[in-house]
Amino acid sequence: MGNLSMPRTDLALEIRETFPENDTQIQGVLLKEEYNKKRDIKVTTVTIKDDRGAKAMGKPIGTYITIESAKLDEKDESFQEPITKEVAKYIRQLAGDVKGKEILVAGLGNREVTPDALGPQVVDNLLVTRHLKEEYGEEFLERNKMGNISAIAPGVMAQTGMETSEILKGIIKETNPKLVVVIDALAARSVDRVNKTIQITDTGISPGSGVGNNRKELNKKSLGIDVIALGIPTVVDAATIVRDTMEHYMQGQDFSEQETNQFINEVGEHSIRNMFVTPKNIDEAIKQISYTVSEALNQSFV
């Protein structure tokens, strides 16, 4: 894992937070924050405008919308409806005008590993309708206020022997959708954002990048059509937890910054390399969040 000065994260917001507000290195990146006090929902939009911003952030040019709420993984019906509408609003914002057009939803991940099962569980809950159009015609979908949605949970390479990009390219060639929405579990830098945060972006995704297991990118360049990626962090790097805890303690004991960093790097290198932590209620959280995301997708493309 090497140096721990830049903890692993898939969230553009967390990368942006590592820069001071007036840091000239972050030119080309815009930050906009909104907070709904009544619903306790915070929405932060990070826009990477040019190559300077992309280089500083280590992410492609595009828009990254982060929706945060402490109640995201809770079974609170009074809250789930507004958060579903909020997520649907931003999916539509990035998707543009796709009304009546075919949408392919790809639920990435390994359904046998709970923190990685978000994508497959979203697909399980999704209202797929493409076959209804084939059987009853487009008017049937319009009359019943249904989108034109197909879905696939392609599994992981260890199960299929194929890159997800290879599978999706074949499906796209045969079915000709106008947009791909990719759902995946992410890694966060902050424990407080695990199962509490949704990131939506129009730049696509590199599956497994947050946990150091990079696969081929899924974006417009690789797939040939527009791609929206929606992800929820379900794990946090164990080294991050160690760093935060030890840094707080050692600073209180008057250790220098250099001594603190040296100690933490050695601990991370020898004791907790490539370890990730997930909450004990991950089963219930994935079940609830996958339902919320699937409902948001159903609403987005009617």
Side-chain angles (χ1 to χ4, degrees):
M1 182 160 48
N3 195 293
L4 300 181
S5 59
M6 183 62 75
R8 289 172 175 168
T9 179
D10 289 308
L11 300 178
L13 171 60
E14 292 189 327
I15 297 174
R16 178 62 182 84
E17 288 174 342
T18 64
F19 294 85
E21 282 297 320
N22 60 351
D23 196 324
T24 57
Q25 295 184 60
I26 206 67
Q27 289 182 1
V29 178
L30 299 179
L31 184 69
K32 178 184 176 183
E33 295 181 345
E34 301 174 66
Y35 180 63
N36 185 326
K37 187 175 182 180
K38 182 179 179 181
R39 298 296 185 184
D40 191 24
I41 299 174
K42 182 180 179 182
V43 179
T44 305
T45 302
V46 176
T47 305
I48 301 178
K49 297 178 60 179
D50 54 34
D51 290 336
R52 292 178 304 170
K55 183 177 180 180
M57 293 281 290
K59 283 189 170 293
I61 295 172
T63 302
Y64 302 80
I65 299 170
T66 307
I67 303 170
E68 299 177 79
S69 175
K71 296 183 179 180
L72 179 61
D73 60 347
E74 297 180 8
K75 292 183 178 180
D76 182 349
E77 291 185 9
S78 65
F79 174 76
Q80 290 306 319
E81 183 177 351
I83 189 67
T84 297
K85 290 182 178 179
E86 195 80 359
V87 175
K89 178 178 75 173
Y90 289 106
I91 292 174
R92 287 193 296 266
Q93 177 179 308
L94 293 185
D97 183 15
V98 292
K99 185 175 181 180
K101 296 179 181 178
E102 185 170 335
I103 311 297
L104 171 63
V105 177
L108 308 189
N110 186 345
R111 67 169 65 248
E112 304 300 326
V113 180
T114 306
D116 197 33
L118 175 71
Q121 288 199 26
V122 168
V123 168
D124 289 345
N125 294 324
L126 198 64
L127 178 62
V128 293
T129 56
R130 180 176 181 270
H131 60 299
L132 299 177
K133 178 186 175 182
E134 299 293 320
E135 188 168 351
Y136 300 112
E138 192 168 333
E139 287 187 6
F140 177 84
L141 298 183
E142 294 178 357
R143 187 167 64 250
N144 290 279
K145 297 183 178 180
M146 294 178 177
N148 187 348
I149 299 176
S150 57
I152 182 72
V156 294
M157 181 176 280
Q159 297 169 323
T160 65
M162 295 177 284
E163 286 275 2
T164 300
S165 61
E166 295 173 326
I167 296 172
L168 294 186
K169 284 179 183 178
I171 294 172
I172 290 168
K173 182 179 179 180
E174 290 296 321
T175 64
N176 195 33
K178 301 305 178 186
L179 173 71
V180 176
V181 180
V182 179
I183 314 296
D184 200 9
L186 307 179
R189 183 255 180 268
S190 170
V191 174
D192 294 333
R193 288 196 171 106
V194 173
N195 295 336
K196 309 291 185 183
T197 306
I198 298 175
Q199 177 177 270
I200 311 169
T201 176
D202 58 4
T203 64
I205 194 170
S206 297
S209 60
V211 296
N213 186 28
N214 294 328
R215 301 261 64 93
K216 290 184 178 179
E217 293 182 350
L218 304 175
N219 52 33
K220 186 172 183 178
K221 182 179 180 181
S222 65
L223 298 181
I225 62 174
D226 290 335
V227 178
I228 290 176
L230 188 153
I232 290 92
T234 61
V235 298
V236 62
D237 191 347
T240 297
I241 300 174
V242 171
R243 166 174 280 278
D244 290 349
T245 303
M246 295 306 300
E247 188 172 44
H248 179 74
Y249 172 77
M250 295 180 74
Q251 286 177 350
Q253 298 297 316
D254 295 327
F255 283 89
S256 69
E257 182 178 351
Q258 182 178 357
E259 290 173 328
T260 300
N261 287 335
Q262 182 178 351
F263 175 79
I264 293 172
N265 285 332
E266 290 178 358
V267 170
E269 181 66 27
H270 299 297
S271 303
I272 53 174
R273 172 185 283 184
N274 293 332
M275 292 182 65
F276 290 84
V277 179
T278 196
K280 64 181 181 180
N281 70 331
I282 188 63
D283 297 83
E284 294 85 359
I286 291 294
K287 183 177 180 180
Q288 179 59 55
I289 295 171
S290 64
Y291 178 76
T292 299
V293 172
S294 64
E295 285 297 297
L297 289 169
N298 289 335
Q299 291 182 19
S300 297
F301 303 118
V302 174

